Amino acid sequence: MTALTLSTSDTKDLRSQAHHLDPVVIIGSDGLTPAVMKEINAALNAHGLIKVRAGSDERETRLEWLASITDELNAAPVQHIGKLLVIWRPIPEKEAKPVAGDRRAGPKTLKVLKNSSRGGQRPEVKQVRVLGNERLTAGGKVKRARVAQKSVKKSAR
């Protein structure tokens, strides 16, 4: 794979966005290992724009690392200042899960506060599970939702 190329205006925009970021991945004394590449790939999938801190003091080594990261992961180098490398890749779109049309709302767990029958006591907190075809009344009771009645006149037509 080859590295992505960015226009000058895109690079400026990404640099300004990266200013407030902290390094997500740190390349240690072992260098650019497959585990580090895997972490950089995961971070790019999650965030798109990341900072990487390089542990080497040699500028040529850091430039080689930046080139190999961008080539292997199909990313674009945004900035290289000192030991910080800023890398960008578009976030891949997530696959939409198919949703069946006949599905209804699932169960929910709600908290209900009931005042104590004695005046000075704390209110009771109850956890109530409400199913998709039920509702919670203002008094804290669970009621089953009614089926809408069909009109006799409309069904006669």
Side-chain angles (χ1 to χ4, degrees):
M1 290 187 210
T2 59
L4 296 175
T5 56
L6 296 172
S7 67
T8 308
S9 61
D10 290 339
T11 305
K12 282 183 180 181
D13 185 41
L14 290 171
R15 272 198 313 235
S16 67
Q17 291 176 20
H19 178 73
H20 302 288
L21 297 177
D22 292 326
V24 178
V25 180
I26 299 174
I27 303 173
S29 59
D30 292 340
L32 199 58
T33 62
V36 172
M37 290 294 283
K38 186 177 176 183
E39 285 298 315
I40 292 172
N41 189 26
L44 283 170
N45 284 338
H47 304 291
L49 180 66
I50 61 168
K51 275 187 182 177
V52 177
R53 182 173 298 279
S56 174
D57 290 333
E58 300 295 323
R59 180 174 175 80
E60 292 79 25
T61 307
R62 293 192 305 265
L63 286 172
E64 289 173 10
W65 286 349
L66 182 62
S68 64
I69 289 169
T70 55
D71 286 341
E72 288 181 36
L73 299 180
N74 194 22
V78 176
Q79 192 174 28
H80 171 218
I81 293 184
K83 294 186 177 185
L84 287 178
L85 312 174
V86 180
I87 303 167
W88 175 81
R89 181 174 72 188
I91 299 174
E93 293 183 21
K94 295 182 180 178
E95 297 175 13
K97 295 180 183 177
V99 178
D102 60 343
R103 291 191 55 152
R104 297 202 176 144
K108 298 178 199 165
T109 304
L110 303 172
K111 289 183 182 178
V112 177
L113 284 174
K114 280 201 167 188
N115 291 330
S116 176
S117 58
R118 294 185 234 151
Q121 298 291 323
R122 285 186 174 170
E124 292 181 50
V125 178
K126 286 186 178 180
Q127 297 257 344
V128 179
R129 187 176 177 142
V130 179
L131 299 177
N133 63 340
E134 295 175 340
R135 63 185 176 89
L136 196 61
T137 64
K141 295 183 181 180
V142 177
K143 287 196 170 182
R144 184 169 285 155
R146 292 186 216 141
V147 179
Q149 293 181 351
K150 296 184 179 170
S151 171
V152 178
K153 293 178 183 177
K154 287 183 181 177
S155 61
R157 290 184 191 171

